[in-house]
């Protein structure tokens, strides 16, 4: 079904795949690397004189309403005067305006007023999810798009697109660049045609299951080539492409053909099509060979898209597989909630509670039409099972009405809803406690369906294709593979009605109005002031996470927190709340000590004591117990209270899988966080978020940790180490010995931390304290 190559491969004339070895000695590998589609697009957008050290300028930007406020606020603080390139502000996450009082619609009006002032494109709520609008109106062959959502993937249309944290978009708005080393490129070689009942999500899940744990495509570009590509429609390719994010790849790109040309023609943009194909001899750093005809309907069980099985496997032995799910879940859920799934097996059959077909992955025209055909004449039943369908855009919705598929869906008892990303991030269709939801959406991390572990609530999401979700719905929630039904599927032609957008979208690109006033709501706050990196640093470990991977949803929960995304301090109250409930209070204690340190110490300390403020205890602990130890041991290094910053840090084995949301890092920073320490970072985008918020992305080798939660870590000369580009940074544990009340500085030689590769600009951002400070220094803004 899927084969991963252990070596690089050559692709000849886009058709013949040859593993690197004795047969390939005649080829020039360095020249063949330049023959990939990805290399061609990346170098065309590179502004440096070195194709190994890229400085990329993108053609267009996209954001949605839980990211664009923070992005624009950051850019405004850095001197923004006008959007220099097309920037789309979609409103598809907080669309319902159902929580947070007036906050959500205030954010929308902020976006509209900023589009007017700076020359942007504003897409109102319910019109389209961010990625469908970009596909329909923004993608272009051979171009590059940067989005502040991790599923920014338009490779099937010939656009190399990437999802990153907000600060990377800020850089583009200020004329700066996206700096990366030339990424490795992995060939995804497709042959055959999908069998009946197999949809794009099935192919995507099969790929994710094969590559994620191995890290096979991490931070690399996936390039889809092969004779099987022509057997996939544009919609089918898009459905696979958007899920490549879950492999942790950097981006994706596909060869293009007449199906993609037709897509652009249908959408009234024939000139935006570009034929893309690799050169006659192209070299790839690895290859994934996929026989499409061998892919079966798949299911990704809770709580990760890589926990994949065929639906047939689950139905053959549901108790065994559900026991495996419960065992895996116990690693991260612990004893927080009662979690069981095996009671959903009745008479040997597995029954689910909810079906969702939605968003940038499931809300496509062909998937919904197929679901309508599969369910035609059948009913969801009047029991607990429910089915909701969200077309990805209003033009798709309109066409479903015109061709009768909308009526066919509604007749089954399913509900047809407007374009909305809520079910993908825990803000829509939250099921009952301990319910099991099958969704054609993007992720199934804990809480992605909206439950709250802290309140004792847990439900589960499994990912499936719309076709098998429809088959399951047709049998009242009994898990069913679409391959088991042989229902005729219609060939529906799509007609795009551009008038819907022309009548509603506000497009002011190139027509900025500097006199326009920005409309602020009370929930929109500026970023707090942040200081530059101090000469020395004392970090308190306030969270210790040993899960194999920590998602951004665990670092800053999605769902109900989305209404606070425009308020840095308000949102920070939720940081790690589902994983480490005491994190916020512990981080605040450390932040308070740092705030006092920055003031006149003696007067402030005495003043707080006289006023009876308990916060002075934390100052006492650091000033009276820890700093004398530090000063005594490192006296030659001129260590002092004045030049030693105090901050918090977390340890996590591998943090940052999932969303591109910058708040996963910025919330730690506004609470006084100065660093993360990990064995590895799950994604480039999370590490970039840390850097752009002035946080040190430390790496420590696997093995026993020389510190634990509650300990301090002293790092002398940290500023100089960053300036000097030191490979290894020496740190020292400051901890309490068993049975002792006082802290003790480790008498050992300390331990080693590394920062990994950093560009000169990234080092400068860390030294200045964050991207905002960096730009103030660079451009002289106040």
């Amino acid at each position: 079904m899927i084969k991963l190559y252990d070596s690089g491969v050559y692709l000849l004339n886009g058709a013949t795949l040859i593993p690197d070895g004795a047969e390939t000695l005649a080829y020039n590998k360095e020249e063949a690397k330049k023959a990939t589609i990805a290399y061609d697009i990346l170098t065309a957008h590179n502004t440096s004189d070195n194709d190994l050290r890229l400085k990329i300028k993108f053609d267009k930007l996209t954001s949605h309403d839980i990211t664009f406020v923070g992005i624009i606020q950051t850019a405004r603080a850095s001197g923004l005067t006008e959007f220099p390139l097309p920037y789309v502000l979609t409103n598809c996450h907080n669309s319902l305006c159902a929580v947070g009082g007036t906050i959500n619609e205030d954010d929308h009006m902020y976006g509209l007023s900023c589009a007017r002032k700076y020359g942007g494109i504003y897409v109102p709520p319910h019109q389209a999810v961010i990625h469908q609008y970009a596909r329909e109106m923004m993608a272009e062959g051979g171009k590059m798009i940067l989005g502040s959502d991790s599923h920014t993937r338009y490779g099937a249309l010939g656009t190399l697109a990437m999802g990153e944290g907000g600060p990377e978009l800020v850089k583009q708005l200020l004329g700066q660049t996206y700096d990366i080393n030339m990424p490795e490129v992995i060939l995804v070689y497709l042959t055959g045609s999908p069998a009946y009942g197999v949809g794009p999500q099935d192919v995507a899940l099969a790929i994710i299951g094969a590559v994620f744990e191995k890290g096979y495509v991490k931070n690399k570009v996936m390039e889809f080539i092969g004779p099987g590509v022509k057997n996939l429609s544009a919609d089918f390719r898009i459905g696979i492409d958007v899920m490549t994010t879950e492999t942790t790849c950097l981006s994706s790109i596909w060869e293009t053909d007449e199906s993609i040309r037709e897509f652009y023609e249908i959408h009234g943009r024939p000139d935006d099509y570009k034929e893309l194909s690799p050169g006659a001899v192209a070299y790839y750093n690895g290859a994934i060979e996929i026989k499409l005809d061998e892919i079966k309907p798949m299911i990704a069980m809770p709580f990760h898209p890589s926990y994949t099985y065929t639906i047939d496997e689950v139905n053959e032995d549901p108790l065994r597989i559900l026991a495996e799910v419960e065992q895996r879940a116990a690693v991260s859920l612990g004893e927080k909630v009662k979690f069981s799934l095996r009671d959903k097996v009745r008479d040997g059959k597995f029954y689910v509670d909810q079906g969702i077909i939605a968003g940038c992955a499931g809300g496509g025209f062909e998937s919904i039409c197929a679901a309508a055909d599969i369910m035609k004449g059948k009913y969801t039943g009047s029991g607990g099972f429910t089915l909701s369908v969200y077309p990805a855009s209003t033009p798709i919705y309109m066409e479903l009405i015109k061709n009768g598929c909308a009526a066919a869906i509604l007749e089954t008892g399913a509900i047809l809803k407007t374009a909305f990303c809520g079910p993908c991030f825990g803000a829509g269709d939250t099921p009952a406690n301990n319910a099991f939801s099958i969704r054609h959406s993007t992720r199934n991390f804990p809480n992605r369906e909206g439950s709250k572990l802290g309140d004792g609530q847990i439900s589960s999401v499994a990912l499936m294709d719309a076709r098998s979700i429809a088959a399951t719905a047709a049998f009242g929630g009994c898990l069913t593979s679409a391959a088991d039904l042989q229902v005729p599927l219609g060939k529906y032609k799509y007609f795009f009605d551009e008038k819907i957008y022309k009548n509603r979208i506000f497009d002011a690109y190139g027509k900025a109005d500097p006199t326009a006033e920005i409309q602020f709501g009370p929930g929109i706050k500026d970023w707090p002031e942040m200081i530059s990196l101090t000469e020395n640093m004392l970090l308190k470990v306030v969270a210790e996470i040993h899960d194999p991977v920590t998602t951004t949803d665990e670092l800053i929960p999605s769902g109900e927190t989305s209404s606070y995304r425009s308020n840095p301090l308000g949102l920070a109250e939720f940081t790690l709340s589902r994983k480490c409930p005491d994190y916020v209070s512990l981080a605040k204690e450390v932040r308070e000590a740092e705030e006092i340190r920055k003031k006149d110490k003696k007067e402030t300390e005495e003043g707080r004591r006289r006023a009876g403020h308990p916060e002075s205890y934390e100052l006492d602990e650091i000033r009276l117990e820890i700093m004398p130890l530090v000063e005594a041991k490192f006296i030659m290094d001129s260590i002092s209270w004045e030049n030693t910053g105090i901050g918090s840090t977390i340890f996590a084995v591998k943090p940052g899988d999932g969303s591109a949301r910058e708040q996963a890092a910025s919330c730690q920073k506004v609470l006084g966080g100065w660093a993360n320490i990990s064995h590895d970072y799950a994604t480039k985008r999370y590490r970039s978020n840390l850097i752009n918020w002035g946080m040190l992305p430390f790496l420590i080798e696997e093995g026993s940790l020389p510190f634990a939660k509650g300990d301090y870590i002293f790092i002398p000369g940290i500023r100089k180490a960053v300036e000097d580009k030191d490979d290894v940074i020496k740190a020292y544990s400051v901890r309490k010995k068993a049975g002792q009340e006082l802290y003790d500085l480790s008498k050992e030689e300390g331990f080693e931390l590394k920062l990994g590769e950093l560009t000169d600009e990234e080092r400068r951002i860390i030294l200045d304290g964050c991207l905002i400070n960096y730009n103030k220094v660079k451009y002289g803004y106040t």
Side-chain angles (χ1 to χ4, degrees):
M1 183 171 70
I2 294 184
K3 175 184 176 181
L4 305 183
Y5 282 71
D6 295 329
S7 66
V9 300
Y10 288 86
L11 185 67
L12 308 183
N13 300 314
T16 305
L17 190 156
I18 306 176
D20 193 6
E23 296 181 37
T24 63
L25 294 178
Y27 303 120
N28 184 319
K29 183 180 293 186
E30 293 307 313
E31 287 303 311
K33 286 181 180 180
K34 299 177 181 180
T36 65
I37 300 171
Y39 184 92
D40 185 56
I41 296 176
L42 288 166
T43 53
H45 290 79
N46 180 29
T47 62
S48 80
D49 56 2
N50 185 346
D51 287 345
L52 298 179
R53 301 286 187 269
L54 303 176
K55 300 179 80 66
I56 300 293
K57 285 199 173 183
F58 288 82
D59 299 293
K60 299 173 184 179
L61 306 178
T62 63
S63 290
H64 51 60
D65 49 343
I66 60 174
T67 58
F68 66 60
V69 176
I71 290 168
I72 298 173
Q73 286 288 81
T74 302
R76 289 180 64 246
S78 302
L80 175 72
T81 57
E82 183 176 345
F83 295 156
L85 70 171
Y87 185 20
V88 180
L89 312 177
T90 60
N91 294 272
C92 53
H93 279 58
N94 280 339
S95 320
L96 298 182
C97 304
V99 291
T102 67
I103 292 175
N104 295 341
E105 188 65 2
D106 283 347
D107 286 353
H108 299 162
M109 292 301 98
Y110 173 94
L112 177 59
S113 62
C114 286
R116 184 175 290 116
K117 183 177 185 67
Y118 299 119
I121 303 165
Y122 174 84
V123 182
H126 307 286
Q127 288 295 308
V129 301
I130 177 174
H131 304 307
Q132 187 60 26
Y133 183 82
R135 294 163 189 156
E136 293 170 349
M137 303 300 291
M138 307 299 291
E140 291 185 60
K143 300 295 186 180
M144 293 189 69
I145 293 179
L146 181 65
S148 56
D149 184 274
S150 59
H151 290 99
T152 306
R153 291 286 190 272
Y154 317 125
L157 301 175
T159 304
L160 195 63
M162 300 174 184
E164 285 283 353
E168 292 299 333
L169 278 78
V170 171
K171 291 177 184 177
Q172 296 291 312
L173 292 174
L174 299 176
Q176 297 163 2
T177 56
Y178 178 75
D179 301 345
I180 55 171
N181 293 335
M182 175 63 74
E184 294 187 351
V185 184
I186 301 296
L187 173 65
V188 185
Y189 190 72
L190 303 175
T191 61
S193 299
Y196 175 85
V198 171
Q201 187 81 325
D202 298 315
V203 179
L205 293 178
I207 296 171
I208 296 164
V211 306
F212 176 82
E213 188 173 350
K214 298 177 178 69
Y216 192 78
V217 298
K218 180 181 175 182
N219 295 332
K220 302 172 185 177
V221 177
M222 300 173 72
E223 188 157 307
F224 289 76
I225 309 289
V229 173
K230 70 176 185 301
N231 299 325
L232 305 178
S233 67
D235 252 20
F236 204 112
R237 298 177 207 184
I238 286 169
I240 298 171
D241 187 60
V242 70
M243 291 297 292
T244 60
T245 295
E246 304 313 317
T247 68
T248 68
C249 74
L250 179 70
S251 188
S252 58
I253 194 69
W254 294 56
E255 62 178 332
T256 59
D257 55 20
E258 288 305 309
S259 292
I260 304 305
R261 182 192 298 275
E262 182 184 26
F263 178 94
Y264 281 105
E265 290 173 348
I266 288 170
H267 289 83
R269 300 191 289 124
D271 293 341
D272 290 343
Y273 170 76
K274 182 178 181 180
E275 184 176 347
L276 299 176
S277 60
V281 180
Y283 180 81
Y284 296 87
N285 300 94
I288 307 167
E289 189 173 0
I290 303 172
K291 297 179 179 179
L292 292 169
D293 52 326
E294 295 183 7
I295 301 288
K296 294 184 177 181
M298 305 289 293
I299 180 169
M301 298 295 277
F303 288 99
H304 199 276
S306 65
Y307 295 158
T308 53
Y309 303 84
T310 66
I311 294 176
D312 289 344
E313 284 180 284
V314 176
N315 282 332
E316 285 167 7
D317 195 355
L319 290 175
R320 175 184 65 83
I321 289 175
L322 292 175
E324 290 178 3
V325 174
E326 292 172 1
Q327 188 175 12
R328 276 196 301 259
V331 174
S332 58
L333 300 180
E335 301 297 323
K336 296 177 184 176
V337 294
K338 181 181 178 182
F339 178 70
S340 63
L341 292 175
R342 281 172 282 179
D343 56 352
K344 298 190 180 298
V345 179
R346 303 194 295 271
D347 298 325
K349 295 182 177 180
F350 179 35
Y351 284 86
V352 304
D353 304 288
Q354 182 192 66
I356 304 289
I357 300 171
C360 58
F365 176 74
E366 288 182 5
S367 288
I368 295 177
C369 288
D373 284 344
I374 289 169
M375 290 194 66
K376 200 169 290 183
K378 302 179 180 67
Y379 305 95
T380 61
S382 56
F385 179 82
T386 61
L387 176 64
S388 296
V389 180
Y390 295 78
S393 71
T394 304
I396 291 176
Y397 201 138
M398 175 73 80
E399 193 56 32
L400 294 170
I401 292 172
K402 290 179 179 178
N403 72 11
C405 287
I409 288 170
L410 293 171
E411 286 173 357
T412 70
I415 301 299
L416 200 62
K417 302 183 179 181
T418 55
F420 178 40
C421 295
C424 292
F425 73 99
D429 281 297
T430 303
N433 185 62
N434 215 42
F436 192 98
S437 178
I438 52 175
R439 303 190 175 193
H440 192 158
S441 60
T442 55
R443 291 199 175 112
N444 60 339
F445 299 157
N447 317 113
R448 289 296 280 201
E449 80 303 322
S451 62
K452 301 179 184 178
L453 295 179
D455 294 337
Q457 306 167 10
I458 184 63
S459 290
S460 307
V461 169
L463 301 181
M464 285 169 51
D465 188 82
R467 292 149 187 82
S468 290
I469 293 174
T472 300
F475 288 92
C478 181
L479 185 67
T480 304
S481 165
D484 292 341
L485 301 182
Q486 296 303 318
V487 176
L489 301 181
K491 294 284 188 180
Y492 296 94
K493 185 172 177 58
Y494 182 63
F495 297 92
F496 176 72
D497 187 350
E498 189 182 5
K499 294 193 299 293
I500 294 171
Y501 289 155
K502 283 188 174 180
N503 293 334
R504 192 69 187 97
I505 306 302
F506 178 82
D507 187 348
Y509 173 63
K511 297 172 285 187
D513 180 3
T515 65
E517 294 290 331
I518 298 176
Q519 185 170 332
F520 288 93
I524 299 174
K525 305 294 184 182
D526 291 330
W527 293 103
E529 184 179 354
M530 300 172 196
I531 66 167
S532 59
L533 184 64
T534 51
E535 292 180 35
N536 313 295
M537 181 170 290
L538 189 64
L539 299 172
K540 187 170 188 178
V541 183
V542 293
E544 189 177 352
I545 305 171
H546 291 277
D547 291 358
V549 177
T550 303
T551 69
T552 46
D553 279 35
E554 292 168 312
L555 293 165
I556 183 63
S558 56
E560 82 282 359
T561 66
S562 62
S563 294
Y564 299 90
R565 297 290 167 78
S566 306
N567 182 343
L569 292 174
L571 181 63
E573 295 291 329
F574 296 92
T575 312
L576 278 164
S577 57
R578 292 176 180 167
K579 197 68 188 172
C580 305
D582 60 350
Y583 168 82
V584 171
S585 60
L586 294 175
K588 282 183 174 179
E589 289 177 2
V590 181
R591 184 183 66 181
E592 179 69 18
E594 169 64 7
E595 289 302 313
I596 295 173
R597 184 195 71 82
K598 291 187 294 185
K599 299 176 182 178
D600 183 339
K601 299 180 301 305
K602 291 182 181 179
E603 290 183 10
T604 303
E605 184 177 0
E606 291 303 318
R608 294 192 72 81
R609 283 177 175 164
R610 286 195 297 272
H613 287 284
E615 290 89 342
S616 62
Y617 170 77
E618 182 71 15
L619 175 61
D620 291 345
E621 180 178 74
I622 295 172
R623 185 71 183 97
L624 303 180
E625 296 183 18
I626 296 172
M627 283 304 296
L629 289 169
V630 169
E631 291 169 352
K633 173 142 184 160
F634 297 97
I635 189 67
M636 298 304 293
D637 294 329
S638 302
I639 306 300
S640 71
W641 176 252
E642 289 79 8
N643 63 20
T644 302
I646 303 168
S648 59
T649 188
I650 68 169
F651 168 79
V653 173
K654 193 176 184 179
D657 186 25
S659 172
R661 293 193 305 271
E662 65 179 284
Q663 294 94 343
S666 66
C667 284
Q668 295 177 55
K669 184 60 185 278
V670 301
L671 287 172
W674 268 104
N676 275 195
I677 303 175
S678 73
H679 296 320
D680 190 15
Y681 291 95
T683 57
K684 175 205 168 295
R685 53 184 174 268
Y686 177 67
R687 184 175 182 271
S688 294
N689 284 336
L690 292 174
I691 293 167
N692 284 321
W693 283 106
M695 298 180 69
L696 294 150
F698 284 129
L699 293 166
I700 189 168
E701 289 188 7
E702 294 186 36
S704 60
L705 290 178
F707 55 82
K709 182 178 177 180
D711 292 343
Y712 286 87
I713 298 171
F714 178 58
I715 312 175
I718 180 60
R719 184 177 182 89
K720 188 174 187 302
V722 174
E723 290 174 335
D724 292 348
K725 303 182 182 181
D726 289 352
D727 293 329
V728 176
I729 296 170
K730 188 62 70 68
Y732 300 84
S733 297
V734 187
R735 59 199 319 180
K736 289 182 180 178
K737 289 186 177 180
Q740 292 186 2
E741 290 297 319
L742 296 179
Y743 283 91
D744 180 39
L745 187 68
S746 171
K747 298 299 190 294
E748 303 165 359
E749 290 304 310
F751 60 94
E752 294 182 350
L753 294 172
K754 295 183 178 181
L755 284 172
E757 185 176 1
L758 293 169
T759 66
D760 290 345
E761 183 182 62
E762 287 173 333
R763 289 181 183 277
R764 193 69 250 169
I765 290 169
I766 289 172
L767 290 167
D768 288 340
C770 65
L771 180 64
I772 294 174
N773 292 357
Y774 167 81
N775 282 318
K776 285 181 178 178
V777 172
K778 181 174 182 177
Y779 298 114
Y781 299 127
T782 58

